[in-house]
Amino acid sequence: MRILQVSAELFPLLKTGGLADIAGALPLALMADGQDARVLLPGFPAIMAGVHGLTPVAEFNAPWGERFALRFGHIATDGAPAMAAYVIDAPALYDRPGNPYEDASRQPYADNHRRFALLGWAAAQLAQSLDPLWQPEVVHAHDWHAALAPAYLHFAREAGQLKGARVGSVFTVHNLAYQGIFAPWTFPDLGLPGAAFQIDGLEYHGQVSFMKGGLCYADRITTVSPTYAREIQTPEQGCGLDGLLRQRSGVLSGILNAVDDKVWSPATDAALVQGFQTPEGRHMAGKARCKSVLQHQLGLAERPDAPLFILVSRLTEQKGLHLVLGGLDALLAQGGQLALLGAGEAWLEEAFRQRAAAAPQSVSVTIGYNEALAHQLFGAGDVTLVPSLFEPCGLTQMYGLKYGSLPLVRRVGGLADTVVDSSLEDLSSGEATGFVFDRFEVADYDRAVRRAFALYQRAPDWRRVRGHAMRRPADWRTAAAQYIDVYREALG
Ligand code: ADP
Ligand code: GLC
């Protein structure tokens, strides 16, 4: 099957969150399954620099008249065949320093509707033979940035512009909270017929919603965990779109994200001072070494017996960080340490900085983005904190599982689907992998932290649970097979 993956980010070229990890891994998993998968990306500087051998494919007009070029090249992969990539060469739109979505003062760019409409538009042009040598049978768009692709395909199909070929569209919601909402005056720029600006289309309380473009017009909708697929159909978690999602529930399903073994394997991870693998304890010396080296590097007290809680996260409301702040005194009083890596909202950055300044031997806070340090934290950690308010899937708890840094999570979204609570009374089932709490309150979070300390004191039990966690399967083969089923359904 010829499958075009459309996303704004792709690891290792450009990443602000989990979307990039998935966009980088899924095409490789599809290729490994024998599928003909290619990706389409906006030409941000990091992407132009990371796609090799870029050659022109064609020029095309944006709906608002500007002319841009589409280029084609390859992204090198570690050990796998290179990934074929189309890139939209539009320096006027994409060649800006820093974050792909916001300016230096963290304001969304005023022309974001054009910058991301062009992504969906180019995908639909590819389905209409923009590259005479390759047309997708399925266009798979990720998140609001790519969400107009299914809308453009729908109206091209209606207008008979797909030349008889059936092209299926799939839209994946990685996070319903980010919807790509724009003022109504942006609509004429998008090149969609007036019929698209109505309640059963892009119109959302008088505004233009890119997210609705994906949700209304895609042949199939997926989200990144089965629990989140259910949650977003409720008013509490539907971000105003639960009615539409219930209406489309027949074509909506959840496919749990997986972990890219080439990037995230403690045995072979080049960022770690020493690898480790068999969870039974015999070959775990590397983990102890990772911990002591990291404690030293971060200025934490070099205590092997202090449970090290780690957190690698965007610092936003979604991630439940005020629970971590609220529970920090208790965590420290019980002899734990906290090492955080993250960036985001200024007040959270400042609050964590202050806590580190007050107790530098027990709290380390690194503000910024640092891929190698993220790996080292999972390698060194005992517990990975993910107490999210909501979480479509979440990847850091899965990295924590693989690296034997037991996840402590709230029972929500993909966290509920990936972590099994270790009730201290019954560890015999062999399924427990971490600590799960329910209510979004400091008291509940605190109790889960206390349970983590209690298990940590029982070293054989801790090793047993860590063993379950590290062995939990999270391979892309299973997820890719589920996506292929969805593509077949989209092709009808
Ligand atoms: P989200 O996509 O909501 O941010 P995920 O858990 O799905 O949450 O994915 C986050 C990804 O970003 C993970 O790969 C995590 O390791 C990475 N990450 C988050 N913050 C940082 C940071 N400050 N430095 C390095 N990696 C980070
Ligand atoms: C989003 C979600 C996160 C998910 C990631 C990858 O950013 O917030 O939960 O893991 O996408 O699908």
Side-chain angles (χ1 to χ4, degrees), residues 307-364:
L308 175 60
F309 291 74
I310 64 146
L311 213 161
V312 179
S313 186
R314 290 183 294 117
L315 304 182
T316 65
E317 196 198 345
Q318 172 188 345
K319 301 296 179 179
L321 297 157
H322 76 274
L323 299 184
V324 178
L325 287 166
L328 190 51
D329 287 336
L331 188 154
L332 299 182
Q334 290 168 90
Q337 298 180 338
L338 173 70
L340 173 145
L341 167 63
E345 287 167 28
W347 77 271
L348 280 167
E349 292 185 352
E350 188 47 34
F352 278 108
R353 268 205 194 99
Q354 282 178 15
R355 300 305 303 252
Q361 295 230 309
S362 333
V363 181
S364 155

Side-chain angles (χ1 to χ4, degrees), residues 123-146:
Q125 296 300 306
L126 274 164
Q128 293 165 70
S129 311
L130 184 60
D131 179 353
L133 301 178
W134 193 90
Q135 290 95 47
E137 297 169 87
V138 173
V139 171
H140 183 176
H142 296 268
D143 264 356
W144 75 262
H145 325 108

